[in-house]
């Protein structure tokens, strides 16, 4: 589209060209006319010579320039004497119009006349005509330019509105088929470009949705994750001004992952997520998020903490039903806290966490509503810990522990293996406490050594009372205990007191725990061997110095970490690694055990690799000692 000045300049050039064309055409026509007039003028001179009487030839010759307008005239008598010789100055452009000089001999007066008719008057007329055409063209083009600019602007406005309308339809995602039918102007190229843009936007939106799903959706449960939870909670426009925040912690995830494998752990997590979805379905606007591997957050808007107790009670009931059907010790514990715009998210999460700690010391799958925000102050910061400290002390004092045993099946009758002791703890109401949380809090509160002593005493007591001295049993020992000098002295004396039972015990400690202090670990293993007991290094293969154990620590068994045994029938790399470990261990008389064996195919492959024993739910579930 032209600007006004560009259009005016273009039309000016057109007018100039048109005027020049008119001038050239007029000059050509005028030139033809002059040539014709000059030919006719010969007849006029002959007639004048025959019909008019002059006193002398000289007078006749002198009268000729007066009788007509000549640009050039030359009269010669019969003696070749010049009687008249006149020529006017040649005007601009006259040479293109002037006819060639004509020459005629007058028979009566015997004069020779050479002439060229004058065109100055005609040139003036032609000039004035061209100028008039030019100025009229200028006036016309000025008016036409104004109309054209107006028309172009109206056209541009229509095109702009049409494109805006189509783009708005594309952005809004509406089908613009009706809009295309209403278009006043057919713009196929632009319509094609708009179609391409629509396709591009659609593909980008689809890619953005997928990226957002990956960024904000947890893949196992398909719930929104911690990032979305934080974003949602901190955006006060998207949530209500008040409500209840509940944090639910899955108490059995770690145990299931270790004993059943990660697939079963994912199944457990999905089941908990479905239970929570169903529990909040009757609360308008309530949402569930998965914060991390074991924690879920539930936001219930526009309710008080008292009203949310119905939700928590219903959730506990649902967890209890799932626990019975799935043969679990517990499912999850919930801490609740009231939120409004004045409470920061960090404080709310800390309060809910203390609520979980309290709930774990109550009954199975319990909940606790935390109402006292002062517990976050330094003087009360150990509120949740104090509840756990009292509960652990109560368990130790009253020996509220139940011992289970999970068998390890030997791959051949000649292989001597054992059953692993598993401890379960109860509160004063005889409700089972979450095992993983119990051990974690005992470690945190420096109670783990006392817990280990309690389990060892309970095991020896049950073996003695039930006359099971013919069986071998494995007992887990924490890394904190083997680094405690007082514990080692007590353990050695206790085992020496019951040497027969000591010879039937196998103490399990993680590879990581032994690596923390190789010297102390070696002293511990030497002491265990002195009293006739044995050592198993469990979760073997995770550390970076695994091969040093064969030379320095001389364990009796190594129990391969589940990352090497799970799906061993399909993993060629783990098969190769396990075969090397078995060969190396057998060369130094160390037996190799496999844990988390959940399928027949895994057991068959492990036996082919000459594993000495297998443990897992496929082999046998934990049973009462």
């Amino acid at each position: 589209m032209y600007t006004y000045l560009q259009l005016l300049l273009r039309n000016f050039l057109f007018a100039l060209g048109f005027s020049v064309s008119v001038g050239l055409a007029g000059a050509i026509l005028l030139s033809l006319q002059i040539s014709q007039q000059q030919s006719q003028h010969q007849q006029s001179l002959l007639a004048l010579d025959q019909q008019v009487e002059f006193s002398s030839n000289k007078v006749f010759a002198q009268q000729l320039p007066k009788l007509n307008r000549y640009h050039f005239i030359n009269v010669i008598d019969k003696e070749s004497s010049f009687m008249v010789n006149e020529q006017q100055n040649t005007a601009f452009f006259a040479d293109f119009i002037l006819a060639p000089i004509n020459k005629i001999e007058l028979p009566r007066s015997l004069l020779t006349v050479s002439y060229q008719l004058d065109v100055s008057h005609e040139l003036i007329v032609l000039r004035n005509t061209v100028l008039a055409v030019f100025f009229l063209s200028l006036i016309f083009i000025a008016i036409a330019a104004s109309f054209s600019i107006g028309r172009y602007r109206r056209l541009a406005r229509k095109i702009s509105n049409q494109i805006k309308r189509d783009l708005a339809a594309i952005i809004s995602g509406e089908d613009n088929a009706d809009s295309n039918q209403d278009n006043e102007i057919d713009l196929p190229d632009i319509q094609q470009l708009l179609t391409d843009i629509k396709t591009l936007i659609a593909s980008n939106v689809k890619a953005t949705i997928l990226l957002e799903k990956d960024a904000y959706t947890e893949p196992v449960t398909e719930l929104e994750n911690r990032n979305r939870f934080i974003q949602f909670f901190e955006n006060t426009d998207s949530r209500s001004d008040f409500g209840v925040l509940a944090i639910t912690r899955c108490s059995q995830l770690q145990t299931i992952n270790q004993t059943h494998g990660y697939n079963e752990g994912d199944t457990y997590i999905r089941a908990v997520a479905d239970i929570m979805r169903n529990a909040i379905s009757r609360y308008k606007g309530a949402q569930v998020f998965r914060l991390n591997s074991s924690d879920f957050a539930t936001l219930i808007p526009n309710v008080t903490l008292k009203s949310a107790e119905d939700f928590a009670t219903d959730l506990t009931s649902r967890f209890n039903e799932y626990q019975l059907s799935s043969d679990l010790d517990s499912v999850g514990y919930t801490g609740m806290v009231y939120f409004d715009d004045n409470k920061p998210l960090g404080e709310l999460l800390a309060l809910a966490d203390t609520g979980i700690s309290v709930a774990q010391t109550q009954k199975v799958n319990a909940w606790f509503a935390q109402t006292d925000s002062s517990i976050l102050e330094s003087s009360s910061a150990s509120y949740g810990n104090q509840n756990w400290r009292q509960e652990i002390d109560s368990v130790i004092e009253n020996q509220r522990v139940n011992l289970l045993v999970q068998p390890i099946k030997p791959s051949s009758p000649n292989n001597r293996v054992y059953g692993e002791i598993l401890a379960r703890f109860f509160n004063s109401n005889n409700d089972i406490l979450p095992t993983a949380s119990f051990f974690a809090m005992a470690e945190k509160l420096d109670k783990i050594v006392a817990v280990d002593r309690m389990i060892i005493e309970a095991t020896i007591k049950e073996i003695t009372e039930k006359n099971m001295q013919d069986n071998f049993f494995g007992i887990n020992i924490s890394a904190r205990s083997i680094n405690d000098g007082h514990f080692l002295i007590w353990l050695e004396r206790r085992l020496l007191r019951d040497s027969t039972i000591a010879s039937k015990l196998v103490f399990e400690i993680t590879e990581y725990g032994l690596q923390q202090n190789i010297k102390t670990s070696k002293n511990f293993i030497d002491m265990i061997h002195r009293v006739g007991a044995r050592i198993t290094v469990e979760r073997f293969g995770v550390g970076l110095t695994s091969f040093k154990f064969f030379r320095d620590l001389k364990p009796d068994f190594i129990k391969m970490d589940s990352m090497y045994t799970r799906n061993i029938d399909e993993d060629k790399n783990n098969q190769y690694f396990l075969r090397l470990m078995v060969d190396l261990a057998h060369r130094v008389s160390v037996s190799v055990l496999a844990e988390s064996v959940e399928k027949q195919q895994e057991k068959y492959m492990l036996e082919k690799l000459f594993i000495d024993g297998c443990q897992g739910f496929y082999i046998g579930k934990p049973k009462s000692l």
Side-chain angles (χ1 to χ4, degrees):
M1 178 179 166
Y2 295 104
T3 63
Y4 182 76
L5 290 178
Q6 289 174 331
L7 189 63
L8 203 61
L9 178 61
R10 187 197 69 169
N11 290 345
F12 173 78
L13 294 176
F14 286 159
L16 184 62
F18 177 71
S19 300
V20 171
S21 299
V22 169
L24 290 175
I28 292 171
L29 293 175
L30 185 59
S31 175
L32 294 174
Q33 182 183 3
I34 294 300
S35 297
Q36 187 178 4
Q37 287 179 357
Q38 194 152 309
S39 298
Q40 293 174 355
H41 192 61
Q42 285 186 352
Q43 302 301 324
S44 299
L45 289 176
L46 290 173
L48 184 64
D49 179 52
Q50 294 294 331
Q51 297 174 8
V52 181
E53 292 285 343
F54 289 97
S55 58
S56 64
N57 289 341
K58 183 177 181 180
V59 173
F60 178 56
Q62 291 176 347
Q63 289 298 319
L64 283 177
K66 298 178 181 180
L67 296 174
N68 209 337
R69 294 180 295 107
Y70 293 100
H71 177 72
F72 168 78
I73 186 168
N74 180 273
V75 181
I76 304 173
D77 59 11
K78 61 182 179 180
E79 287 84 13
S80 301
S81 299
F82 288 99
M83 302 180 69
V84 176
N85 187 19
E86 295 181 3
Q87 183 172 2
Q88 299 180 11
N89 293 329
T90 303
F92 174 72
F93 207 66
D95 289 338
F96 297 99
I97 298 176
L98 290 172
I101 296 175
N102 283 13
K103 186 175 181 181
I104 185 173
E105 293 183 356
L106 301 178
R108 181 180 176 187
S109 58
L110 301 175
L111 297 176
T112 301
V113 180
S114 300
Y115 66 92
Q116 195 175 32
L117 294 179
D118 183 33
V119 295
S120 57
H121 179 70
E122 287 78 1
L123 280 176
I124 292 172
V125 172
L126 179 61
R127 181 197 65 191
N128 292 340
T129 300
V130 171
L131 289 175
V133 169
F134 178 69
F135 285 117
L136 287 174
S137 298
L138 290 179
I139 294 172
F140 174 77
I141 65 174
I143 297 172
S146 299
F147 281 110
S148 296
I149 288 295
R151 179 175 175 274
Y152 285 153
R153 286 176 177 169
R154 288 192 297 274
L155 178 63
R157 194 177 299 113
K158 289 181 180 179
I159 294 174
S160 176
N161 292 335
Q162 187 170 314
I163 293 174
K164 286 180 181 178
R165 189 167 58 249
D166 292 340
L167 285 175
I170 290 173
I171 293 171
S172 64
E174 298 174 356
D175 187 3
N176 59 348
D178 296 337
S179 176
N180 291 338
Q181 295 176 359
D182 297 338
N183 288 341
E184 301 179 22
I185 305 168
D186 186 20
L187 303 169
D189 292 340
I190 292 179
Q191 290 297 334
Q192 182 60 44
L193 288 173
L194 290 174
T195 301
D196 295 342
I197 291 173
K198 183 177 181 179
T199 304
L200 180 62
I201 290 175
S203 63
N204 288 341
V205 168
K206 185 177 180 180
T208 302
I209 291 173
L210 291 175
L211 288 174
E212 185 175 5
K213 184 177 180 181
D214 291 339
Y216 293 110
T217 303
E218 193 279 315
V220 175
T221 61
E222 296 185 353
L223 293 173
E224 292 179 312
N225 61 15
R226 185 183 187 90
N227 292 334
R228 178 65 82 187
F229 167 71
I230 294 173
Q231 183 186 77
F232 176 81
F233 191 88
E234 292 183 347
N235 184 5
T236 55
D237 295 332
S238 65
R239 64 168 175 83
S240 62
D241 295 334
F242 70 95
V244 170
L245 168 64
I247 304 297
T248 300
R249 182 159 298 154
C250 299
S251 55
Q252 293 296 298
L253 180 61
Q254 182 180 352
T255 302
I256 292 175
N257 282 339
Q258 291 178 353
T259 58
H260 295 281
Y262 292 107
N263 289 334
E264 287 298 319
D266 290 345
T267 302
Y268 163 66
I269 287 296
R270 279 191 288 267
V272 172
D274 291 339
I275 290 172
M276 298 189 68
R277 284 192 186 99
N278 293 330
I280 67 165
S281 59
R282 59 194 180 98
Y283 295 93
K284 185 178 180 181
Q287 287 184 262
V288 180
F289 304 85
R290 189 180 182 190
L291 300 185
N292 52 44
S293 60
S294 60
D295 288 3
F296 291 86
T298 305
L299 279 176
I300 308 177
N302 304 320
V303 298
T304 63
L305 202 54
K306 185 67 176 176
S307 301
E309 291 180 0
D310 293 336
F311 158 76
T313 302
D314 178 51
L315 186 63
T316 295
S317 176
R318 293 172 186 265
F319 281 167
N320 290 339
E321 292 176 5
Y322 177 66
Q323 176 190 342
L324 292 175
S325 64
S326 303
D327 193 22
L328 297 173
D329 293 335
S330 61
V331 177
Y333 295 84
T334 302
M336 296 192 303
V337 63
Y338 178 81
F339 74 82
D340 55 34
D341 290 339
N342 297 323
K343 294 182 179 178
L345 180 59
E347 178 181 326
L348 294 172
L349 292 174
L351 287 169
D353 190 66
T354 61
I356 293 173
S357 297
V358 174
Q360 288 174 333
T361 62
Q362 298 178 352
K363 62 182 181 178
V364 176
N365 304 321
W367 57 269
F368 184 81
Q370 187 58 266
T371 58
D372 184 9
S373 61
S374 65
I375 64 169
L376 297 179
E377 299 174 3
S378 58
S379 59
S380 305
S382 60
Y383 175 74
N385 294 346
Q386 187 62 34
N387 278 269
W388 266 110
R389 187 185 301 277
Q390 294 172 0
E391 199 63 53
I392 293 171
D393 287 341
S394 176
V395 168
I396 295 171
E397 181 180 353
N398 296 284
Q399 297 290 297
R400 287 198 297 270
V401 59
N402 182 36
L403 299 180
L404 307 177
V405 62
Q406 185 176 28
I408 299 176
K409 183 177 181 179
S411 299
S412 70
N414 296 326
N415 294 341
R416 179 172 293 181
V417 291
Y418 57 92
E420 181 180 357
I421 297 294
L422 304 174
R424 297 295 181 264
F425 308 97
F426 298 87
N427 63 14
S428 57
N429 297 323
N430 208 33
D431 293 318
I432 192 169
L433 296 167
T435 306
S437 297
F438 186 91
F439 279 113
M441 294 306 296
E443 187 86 36
K444 179 179 179 181
L445 300 174
D446 202 22
K447 297 288 184 179
I448 192 65
V449 174
V451 171
D452 284 346
R453 289 182 60 169
M454 177 184 67
I455 294 172
I456 294 170
E457 284 284 11
T459 302
I460 295 174
K461 180 180 178 182
E462 287 220 27
I463 292 173
T464 303
E465 291 178 352
K466 297 181 179 180
N467 196 24
M468 295 185 290
Q469 288 88 344
D470 293 335
N471 298 311
F472 290 85
F473 298 97
I475 303 174
N476 288 279
I477 298 292
S478 68
R480 181 82 65 88
S481 294
I482 70 169
N483 288 282
D484 186 296
H486 297 289
F487 173 82
L488 295 180
I489 294 171
W490 170 86
L491 179 60
E492 184 174 11
R493 291 175 178 174
R494 185 68 185 85
L495 295 177
L496 287 172
R497 192 163 62 229
D498 289 292
S499 57
T500 302
I501 294 177
S503 64
K504 302 297 182 179
L505 297 181
V506 181
F507 291 93
E508 293 191 0
I509 185 166
T510 64
E511 178 187 22
Y512 174 75
L514 291 172
Q515 287 176 346
Q516 292 181 10
N517 190 324
I518 298 295
K519 183 177 179 180
T520 302
S521 299
K522 190 175 188 314
N523 292 335
F524 169 71
I525 293 175
D526 291 342
M527 182 272 291
I528 293 297
H529 285 159
R530 281 198 308 271
V531 298
R534 293 174 177 83
I535 285 291
T536 293
V537 180
E538 65 171 345
R539 303 200 65 187
F540 188 81
V542 177
L544 299 176
T545 59
S546 298
F547 293 102
K548 293 186 64 179
F549 285 94
F550 294 124
R551 186 182 71 244
D552 298 339
L553 300 182
K554 299 181 178 64
D556 301 282
F557 301 90
I558 59 171
K559 187 183 289 185
M560 301 302 301
D561 187 75
S562 59
M563 65 182 289
Y564 296 109
T565 60
R566 189 174 294 120
N567 297 321
I568 185 68
D569 54 312
E570 301 172 358
D571 195 324
K572 300 296 184 183
N573 291 330
N574 280 350
Q575 291 174 20
Y576 179 73
F577 174 76
L578 213 54
R579 188 71 183 90
L580 288 176
M581 295 303 301
V582 169
D583 287 343
L584 182 58
H586 286 174
R587 288 176 186 272
V588 291
S589 301
V590 175
S591 297
V592 182
L593 307 177
E595 64 178 352
S596 300
V597 180
E598 307 295 332
K599 299 184 298 183
Q600 181 179 357
Q601 297 89 331
E602 293 175 346
K603 175 178 177 293
Y604 176 71
M605 177 56 66
L606 290 166
E607 289 175 347
K608 285 180 63 177
L609 296 172
F610 302 103
I611 288 287
D612 296 293
C614 295
Q615 179 185 16
F617 269 58
Y618 176 74
I619 305 300
K621 295 182 179 180
K623 299 178 181 178
S624 175
L625 185 60

